[in-house]
């Protein structure tokens, strides 16, 4: 027996322990078998891969017992694995624990000092030895078999033998493990090197771990534990209370959540965890230390851990805390499932979520948008209490209230904020829309601030203004009812995506709503409203459009000398019109006023003119005129005088405002401006028509004068020198001919013909009557007419056939070569052809072919002889209106001719259709020689 040999000093009473164990084996033959089976189970089962974990626990307990952070050194000497540590040395109680497979010597806060876990050494060695400054013990499979008197497998850790203390310098205890054949010591060291950092984190009483020369150290800085190893460094944020929570952090302190881990009690168990942080807790575990022991004690421990998790989360900055909220997923174990539920419940009821207003609320009090819109929550902080900015799914898992964007829009409706604030809201939402986190359709009711101070729901129909900074500034205060003009300070591309349209200055200037505001602006000012903002905005729009503006801007109210007037009722302070228009025009109730001089100085003249302010005469243009509604003087009369309505109307305004003595200057001004010069020259145009009749040149209308070279003497006097050249006089309507445009002109011409004080040549008289006929006008019946001899008579015939003229005196008829029937109707006179007349002399019928002299004439003229013939009289007498007259020729259905060259020539010319050649025919009858043809 082993006990028969003298042993070294035995400070731990190992002999007594051996005797007691051997006695128990002898007293109960099955006990040896039981101990053998238990150790085998521990070796190949519960502690098969926990060698270094169990030894590190013992080292940590020793350091804690000594009250000083411990150091560990693990080395391989020949085939022996050595695990040295500092701290409290081995004692009798510890030896008793080592030699007991069913009892543990740990107590208080120790985590496993020489407890059942020491059985892990059996996974690599059959001859373990523990030496310490206080002594040492050895275990041996071979010596145990000898002592027990058995062969085969035996419980090695039941029988300790004393050995001499042989501790390496600087350490207090060393476990020496001669490795069993087949165990790779280097592989064990490499395995330990992979786990050292986790061991140092879990065992706070250890500060240094040396693995065969590779050194790891642990340092604590507040709540951060740093573990440095060969070429590596890890940092853990920790929270220590009844349990320890830890999460890896980067150099900046940001968490690096775990994806999976195991429960540490405090060393690893087999209970998997899916939490983002590591839990190190003294929870009840099964004897194998592989799993937590179910029961009330475990449940209470997990509840405590969950409550302390909230404090752990609050160690992080508010924006990083969401990283520690457990994410949904299948639990890794029963403990994981329970712990996750407890943590989420604690985060739901304890404050930890930082709100945008600087407070902290519990998860269930937090309100979060259903889409991630960075920056939006900060803008809504005073509108939505408890609003936080964070991942929606995370906050939902802690009972957070999810707010839909539609609810946010309802909250925003009616809210009054600065336009810049709204732009920030749009900018935040735009990012979400662009990233497809938020559908644009969900923002249909998004409020939009307008320039007039209103905030309306929805961007559709709104206008985003583009233009100069000055324009945007002016529009920011303008009030244009009906025009949904987005306030420039709130303008953002998101609004265009939501239905708003871009409007440059030209598009805005053509908006119907702006036109309505302009057209009622003068009335608004008269009612007490301030027109300055609208005036400035519209003028800036005109300037930005290159001074190209629609005609209706002339209705814009602008400041005059005494009051506000329409722009087209104002004249520029330096306009030449001030010297041309009648002074009464600018009186208080006059049709025009002068633009305020200071206001005029603020704007370019071209812009003011484009707005309708007058510097010269205004031109009226209508591309589709349908009726006389252009506010032109005597427009209806002119319209009626037109042969047909104009396809385009180009006219000049305010001609009726010119002072009588200023017309020469007015005409020069009209001719000096291209637009008015064009209007003056427009065929059948109103301007030329009106000026010709109503302008005043030396006391008379232009059309009452004739040009110096015009063949109108007697009817019209030559125009006096008024300082105008002939071209301008002609354009003004001074007569160069007898063209008639109005009924009044036609009536005036007939009156001039009926004036006995005028001396008018017969030819001019005939042309004048033809002009009246050609005008197509209805001037009315004159009081008298001018006969063919130039005399003025009360009664006459209108000569419509030539033969009657031979029977009447020239003072008895009026000549009108063109349409005498029309002239007779206009003058209310009978036609000459209708006068009572008869041929009273006898004539002899002669065919044309039997008149040799006429045959010769016809041959000379190359004219064929007409059919029939003529009644030749000698003399030819006719009675007309009761008086007897001798004539040269006549026609009463038959041709009559006096037997004279003149009579026969006229009858032949009429019959042959060669009436203009009647005088030549007469001469040929008198002298048929060739020289007559050439004379």
């Amino acid at each position: 027996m082993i006990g028969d040999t003298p042993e070294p000093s035995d400070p731990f009473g190992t002999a007594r322990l051996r005797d007691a164990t051997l006695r128990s084996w002898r007293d109960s033959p099955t006990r040896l078998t039981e101990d053998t089976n238990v150790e085998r189970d521990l070796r190949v089962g519960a502690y098969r891969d926990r060698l270094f974990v169990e030894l590190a626990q013992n080292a940590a307990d020793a350091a804690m017992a000594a009250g000083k952070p411990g150091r560990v050194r693990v080395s391989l000497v020949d085939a022996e694995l050595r695990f040295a540590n500092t701290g409290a040395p081995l004692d009798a109680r510890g030896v008793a624990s080592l030699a007991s497979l069913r009892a543990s010597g740990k107590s208080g806060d120790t985590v496993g000092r020489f407890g059942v876990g020491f059985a892990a050494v059996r996974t690599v060695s059959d001859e373990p030895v523990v030496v310490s400054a206080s002594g040492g013990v050895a275990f041996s499979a071979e010596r145990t078999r000898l002592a027990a008197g058995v062969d085969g497998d035996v419980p090695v850790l039941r029988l300790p033998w004393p050995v001499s203390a042989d501790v390496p310098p600087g350490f207090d205890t060393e476990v020496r493990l001669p490795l069993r054949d087949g165990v790779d010591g280097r592989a064990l060291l490499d395995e330990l090197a992979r786990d050292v950092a986790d061991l140092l984190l879990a065992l706070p009483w250890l500060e240094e771990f040396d693995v065969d020369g590779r050194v790891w150290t642990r340092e604590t800085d507040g709540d951060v534990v740093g573990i440095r190893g060969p070429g590596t460094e890890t940092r853990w944020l920790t929270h220590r209370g009844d349990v320890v929570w830890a999460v890896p952090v980067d150099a900046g302190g940001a968490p690096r959540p775990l994806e999976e881990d195991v429960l540490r009690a405090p060393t690893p168990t087999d209970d998997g965890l899916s939490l983002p942080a590591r839990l190190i807790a003294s929870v009840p575990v099964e004897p194998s230390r592989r799993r937590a022991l179910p029961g009330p004690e475990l449940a209470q421990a997990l509840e405590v851990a969950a409550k302390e998790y909230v404090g752990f989360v609050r160690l992080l900055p508010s924006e990083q805390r969401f990283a520690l909220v457990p994410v949904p997923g299948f639990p890794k174990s029963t403990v994981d499932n329970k712990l996750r539920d407890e943590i989420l419940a604690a985060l739901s009821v304890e404050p930890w979520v930082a709100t945008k207003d600087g407070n902290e609320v519990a998860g269930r009090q937090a309100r979060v948008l259903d889409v991630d819109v960075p920056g939006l929550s900060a803008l809504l902080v005073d509108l939505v209490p408890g609003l936080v900015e964070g991942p929606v799914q995370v906050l939902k898992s802690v009972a957070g209230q999810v707010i839909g964007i539609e609810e946010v829009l309802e909250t925003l409706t009616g809210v009054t904020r600065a336009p810049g604030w709204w732009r920030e809201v749009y900018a935040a939402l735009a990012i979400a829309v662009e990233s497809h986190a938020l559908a644009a359709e969900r923002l249909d009711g998004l409020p939009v601030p307008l320039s007039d101070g209103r905030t309306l729901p929805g961007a559709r129909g709104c206008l985003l203004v583009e233009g100069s900074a000055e324009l945007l500034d002016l529009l920011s205060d303008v009030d244009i009812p009906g025009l949904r003009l987005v306030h420039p300070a709130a303008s953002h591309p998101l609004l265009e995506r939501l239905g708003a349209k871009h409007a440059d200055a030209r598009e805005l200037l053509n908006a119907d709503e702006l036109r309505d505001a302009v057209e009622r602006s003068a009335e608004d000012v008269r009612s007490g409203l301030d027109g300055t903002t609208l005036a400035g905005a519209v003028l800036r729009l005109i300037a930005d459009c290159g001074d190209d503006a629609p005609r209706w801007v002339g209705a814009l109210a602008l400041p005059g000398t005494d009051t506000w007037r329409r722009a087209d009722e104002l004249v520029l302070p330096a306009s030449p019109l001030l010297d041309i228009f009648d002074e009464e025009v600018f009186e208080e109730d006059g049709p025009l006023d002068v633009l305020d001089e200071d206001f005029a100085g603020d704007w370019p003249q071209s812009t003011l003119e484009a707005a309708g302010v007058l510097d010269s005469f205004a031109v009226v243009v209508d591309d589709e005129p349908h009726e006389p509604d252009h506010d032109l003087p005597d427009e209806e009369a002119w319209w009626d005088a037109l042969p047909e309505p104009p396809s385009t109307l180009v006219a000049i305004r305010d001609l009726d405002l010119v002072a009588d003595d200023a017309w020469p200057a007015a005409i020069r001004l009209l001719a000096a401006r291209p637009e008015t010069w064009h209007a003056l020259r427009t065929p059948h145009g109103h301007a030329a028509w009106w000026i010709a009749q109503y302008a005043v040149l030396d006391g008379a209308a232009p059309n009452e004068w004739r040009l110096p070279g015009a063949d109108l003497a007697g009817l019209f006097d030559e125009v006096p020198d008024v300082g105008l050249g002939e071209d301008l006089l002609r354009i003004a309507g001074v007569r160069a001919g007898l063209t008639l445009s109005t009924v009044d002109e036609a009536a005036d011409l007939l009156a001039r013909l009926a004036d006995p004080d005028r001396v008018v040549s017969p030819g001019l008289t005939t042309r004048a009557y033809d002009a009246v006929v050609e005008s197509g006008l209805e001037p009315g019946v004159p009081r008298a007419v001018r006969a063919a001899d130039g005399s003025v008579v009360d009664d006459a015939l209108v000569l419509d056939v030539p033969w009657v003229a031979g029977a009447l005196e020239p003072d008895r008829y009026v000549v009108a070569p063109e349409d005498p029937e029309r002239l007779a109707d206009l003058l209310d006179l009978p036609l000459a052809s209708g006068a009572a007349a008869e041929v009273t002399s006898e004539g002899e019928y002669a065919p044309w072919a039997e008149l040799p002299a006429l045959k010769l004439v016809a041959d000379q003229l190359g004219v064929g002889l007409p059919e029939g013939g003529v009644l030749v009289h000698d003399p030819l007498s006719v009675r007309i209106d009761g008086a007897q007259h001798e004539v040269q020729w006549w026609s009463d259905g038959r041709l009559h001719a006096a037997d004279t060259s003149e009579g026969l020539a006229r009858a032949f010319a009429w019959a042959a259709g060669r009436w203009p050649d009647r005088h030549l025919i007469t001469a040929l009858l008198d002298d048929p020689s060739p020289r007559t043809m050439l004379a």
Side-chain angles (χ1 to χ4, degrees):
M1 297 294 292
I2 295 176
D4 296 336
T5 303
E7 296 182 345
S9 173
D10 188 9
F12 306 127
T14 59
R16 178 178 52 81
L17 294 175
R18 291 196 303 276
D19 288 344
T21 301
L22 290 171
R23 187 169 49 250
S24 68
W25 288 348
R26 288 193 298 267
D27 293 343
S28 177
T30 61
R31 182 64 181 268
L32 175 60
T33 303
E34 291 174 358
D35 286 350
T36 300
N37 291 339
V38 168
E39 186 176 289
R40 182 191 304 113
D41 290 342
L42 294 175
R43 185 181 76 241
V44 302
Y47 292 96
R48 64 185 179 275
D49 53 3
R50 296 180 61 86
L51 171 63
F52 293 117
V53 170
E54 296 301 329
L55 295 178
Q57 286 178 334
N58 290 337
D61 284 339
M64 184 173 66
K68 182 179 180 181
R71 294 181 297 109
V72 172
R73 184 181 71 187
V74 183
S75 60
L76 187 64
V77 180
D78 297 328
E80 184 175 87
L81 185 68
R82 296 183 178 184
F83 191 101
N85 62 271
T86 62
L90 185 64
D91 57 17
R93 185 178 180 185
V95 173
S97 296
L98 291 174
S100 174
L101 295 176
R102 295 177 176 84
S104 175
K106 70 177 180 179
S107 62
D109 294 329
T110 59
V111 294
R113 179 150 173 77
F114 299 133
V116 179
F118 188 72
V121 301
R122 290 285 288 118
T123 62
V124 298
S125 178
D126 293 332
E127 307 290 331
V129 176
V130 180
V131 295
S132 184
S134 57
V137 294
F139 299 90
S140 170
E142 181 61 30
R143 295 176 72 179
T144 299
R145 280 192 286 269
L146 291 173
V150 295
D151 294 324
D153 200 6
V154 292
V156 173
L157 299 181
R158 291 291 280 137
L159 301 180
W161 281 272
V163 295
S164 299
D166 182 16
V167 183
F171 293 91
D172 298 303
T173 303
E174 183 175 63
V175 177
R176 298 170 179 172
L177 304 174
L179 297 177
R180 189 184 304 114
D181 291 342
V183 176
D184 187 343
R186 288 296 171 188
L188 289 173
L189 294 178
D190 291 340
E191 180 182 344
L192 173 58
R194 290 193 295 270
D195 297 334
V196 166
D198 287 343
L199 289 173
L200 285 174
L201 176 66
L203 303 172
W205 278 99
L206 296 182
E207 69 175 4
E208 181 179 290
F209 220 116
D210 181 336
V211 180
D212 197 26
R214 292 172 284 178
V215 178
W216 282 260
T217 60
R218 169 193 173 103
E219 294 180 358
T220 302
D221 181 10
D223 296 315
V224 176
V225 174
I227 299 174
R228 290 186 176 87
T232 64
E233 179 179 0
T234 57
R235 292 163 54 85
W236 294 75
L237 177 67
T238 62
H239 179 278
R240 294 187 178 275
D242 291 334
V243 301
V244 176
W245 285 104
V247 65
V249 293
D250 60 21
R256 298 164 59 187
L258 302 175
E259 294 184 0
E260 61 180 356
D261 199 12
V262 295
L263 174 64
R264 313 277 170 151
T267 50
T269 69
D270 286 347
D271 287 314
L273 297 180
S274 61
L275 302 175
R278 174 168 293 176
L279 173 60
I280 305 172
S282 295
V283 298
V285 293
E286 296 174 348
S288 66
R289 299 193 58 81
R290 285 194 169 274
R291 293 196 177 275
L293 185 63
E297 187 178 351
L298 176 62
Q300 183 178 2
L302 296 182
E303 290 178 7
V304 170
K307 290 180 180 179
E308 293 188 0
Y309 194 81
V310 178
F312 174 51
V313 170
R314 294 182 65 183
L315 292 177
L316 288 170
S318 58
E319 66 276 7
Q320 297 177 0
R321 295 175 181 177
F322 298 110
L324 294 187
V325 178
V327 298
F330 292 106
K332 301 290 185 180
S333 64
T334 303
V335 172
D336 185 37
N337 188 46
K338 174 67 174 176
L339 193 54
R340 282 162 51 86
D341 290 345
E342 293 289 347
I343 288 175
L344 292 176
L347 292 174
S348 298
V349 299
E350 296 293 333
W352 65 277
V353 185
T355 61
K356 301 308 293 186
D357 58 5
N359 296 318
E360 286 189 355
V361 296
R364 66 176 52 178
Q365 296 172 317
R367 305 178 73 187
V368 62
L369 300 177
D370 64 350
V371 291
D372 183 17
V373 185
L376 182 60
S377 298
L379 297 169
L380 304 178
V381 62
D382 58 341
L383 300 174
V384 184
L387 187 62
V388 302
E389 194 171 87
V392 175
Q393 292 302 320
V394 170
L395 285 162
K396 286 175 67 176
S397 68
V398 294
Q401 304 174 50
V402 180
I403 304 173
I405 198 67
E406 293 78 8
E407 184 177 346
V408 172
L409 297 186
E410 290 180 9
T411 301
L412 292 177
T413 301
V415 168
T416 301
R417 287 290 187 277
W421 180 88
W422 286 104
R423 181 180 173 83
E424 291 184 47
V425 170
Y426 304 150
L429 291 172
I431 295 174
V433 172
E434 290 297 329
S435 65
H436 303 290
L438 176 65
E441 293 75 15
R442 296 182 64 189
L443 299 176
D444 282 346
L446 181 64
V448 179
L450 306 183
S451 290
D452 58 13
R454 295 175 298 157
T455 300
L456 299 181
R460 197 169 304 280
C462 293
L463 296 178
L464 299 168
V465 182
E466 299 174 350
S468 64
E470 182 180 357
L471 172 62
L472 298 179
D473 184 55
L474 288 167
L475 291 176
S476 65
D477 297 321
V478 72
D479 180 3
I480 306 175
L483 185 63
R484 301 185 66 179
L485 193 63
V486 178
H487 195 289
S491 180
H492 191 276
L494 175 67
L495 298 179
E496 183 179 11
R497 184 162 185 170
L498 298 180
K501 294 183 178 179
H502 278 282
D504 59 16
R506 189 174 305 281
E507 291 168 325
L508 188 58
L509 194 57
N510 286 286
D512 291 339
E513 294 83 359
L514 181 62
R515 178 174 183 171
D516 292 341
V518 168
E519 290 180 341
R520 66 170 178 270
S521 60
E523 181 180 349
D524 288 344
V525 171
R526 286 194 293 270
S527 66
L529 298 179
D530 183 9
T532 305
T533 303
L534 179 63
V538 174
L539 289 176
R540 176 44 57 190
L541 286 171
I542 294 173
D544 284 4
C545 288
D547 299 328
D548 182 14
R551 291 190 293 273
W552 51 259
V553 299
L556 178 65
L558 296 178
T561 303
D562 300 315
T563 184
W564 285 63
R565 300 283 289 267
R566 288 172 54 108
D568 56 12
E569 294 177 356
L570 292 168
V571 177
L572 290 173
S575 170
L577 294 176
L578 296 176
D579 297 325
I580 291 175
F581 286 164
D582 195 298
E583 291 182 357
E584 295 181 355
V585 169
F586 301 103
E587 292 181 354
E588 183 175 352
D589 295 328
L592 297 179
D593 194 3
V594 180
L595 183 67
D596 179 81
E597 190 169 356
D598 291 337
F599 186 89
D602 293 337
W603 295 96
Q605 179 174 326
S606 59
T607 299
L608 294 171
E609 288 187 54
V613 181
L614 301 176
D615 181 55
S616 180
F617 289 92
V619 175
V620 178
V621 179
D622 187 349
D623 294 328
E624 297 182 0
H626 298 296
E627 54 183 325
D629 58 355
H630 304 88
D631 197 26
L632 300 172
D634 301 289
E635 186 177 3
E636 289 190 8
W638 165 73
W639 193 278
D640 292 339
L642 293 172
E644 59 183 15
S647 58
T648 298
L649 182 145
V650 181
I652 300 174
R653 254 187 51 197
D654 304 325
L655 295 173
D656 53 337
L657 304 183
V658 177
D660 288 348
D661 60 353
W663 269 107
I667 292 172
R668 285 192 293 271
L669 180 61
L670 290 169
R673 304 292 174 97
E675 60 273 12
T676 49
W677 178 246
H678 171 67
L680 276 177
R681 295 172 59 85
T682 299
H684 304 292
H686 173 272
W689 173 85
W690 194 91
I691 290 174
Q693 299 182 83
Y694 299 107
V696 178
L697 297 178
D698 199 15
N703 66 2
E704 296 180 15
W705 299 108
R706 64 177 174 85
L707 294 174
D711 186 15
L712 301 175
L715 280 179
F716 298 96
D717 296 334
E718 182 177 330
V719 62
D721 184 4
V722 292
L724 299 176
E726 184 171 325
D727 287 342
L728 293 183
L729 291 172
R730 189 185 302 272
I731 289 296
V734 176
R735 292 190 175 277
L738 292 172
T739 301
L740 303 175
S741 301
T742 68
V743 171
D744 289 343
E745 281 189 282
D748 176 68
L749 181 58
L750 291 178
R752 289 173 181 268
L753 288 170
D755 183 357
D757 293 333
R758 293 184 177 275
V759 178
V760 183
S761 68
L764 180 57
T765 299
T766 299
R767 294 198 305 275
Y769 280 128
D770 278 345
V772 173
V773 171
E774 290 173 359
S775 72
L777 302 170
E778 299 285 347
V781 179
R783 58 181 178 80
V785 297
R786 191 168 292 266
D789 65 348
S791 63
V792 176
V793 297
D794 295 332
D795 189 23
L797 299 174
V798 176
L799 188 66
D800 61 336
V801 290
W803 54 84
V804 178
L808 298 178
E809 295 298 326
D811 63 350
R812 291 283 294 117
Y813 59 84
V814 175
V815 177
E818 300 294 336
D819 199 355
E821 290 84 359
R822 169 67 176 158
L823 181 62
D825 183 58
L826 290 173
L827 301 181
D828 195 21
L829 296 176
L831 290 169
S833 61
E838 63 176 329
V839 177
T840 58
S841 61
E842 294 292 332
E844 180 179 353
Y845 179 75
W848 296 114
E850 296 180 4
L851 297 173
L854 283 174
K855 287 178 63 179
L856 179 60
V857 169
D859 181 61
Q860 288 178 298
L861 295 176
V863 177
L865 291 173
E867 294 181 1
V870 61
L871 290 170
V872 180
H873 297 257
D874 186 18
L876 174 59
S877 299
V878 177
R879 183 183 294 111
I880 183 170
D881 291 337
Q884 193 77 22
H885 300 276
E886 285 191 6
V887 297
Q888 292 296 317
W889 74 292
W890 198 266
S891 175
D892 56 5
R894 296 182 300 170
L895 279 176
H896 302 266
D899 191 9
T900 64
S901 297
E902 182 180 354
L904 290 171
R906 278 166 168 71
F908 179 77
W910 185 265
R914 298 294 294 264
W915 182 249
D917 294 329
R918 62 189 181 278
H919 299 295
L920 176 60
I921 296 172
T922 301
L924 288 171
L925 288 175
D926 289 336
D927 182 6
S929 67
R931 65 175 177 271
T932 302
M933 292 286 291
L934 301 175

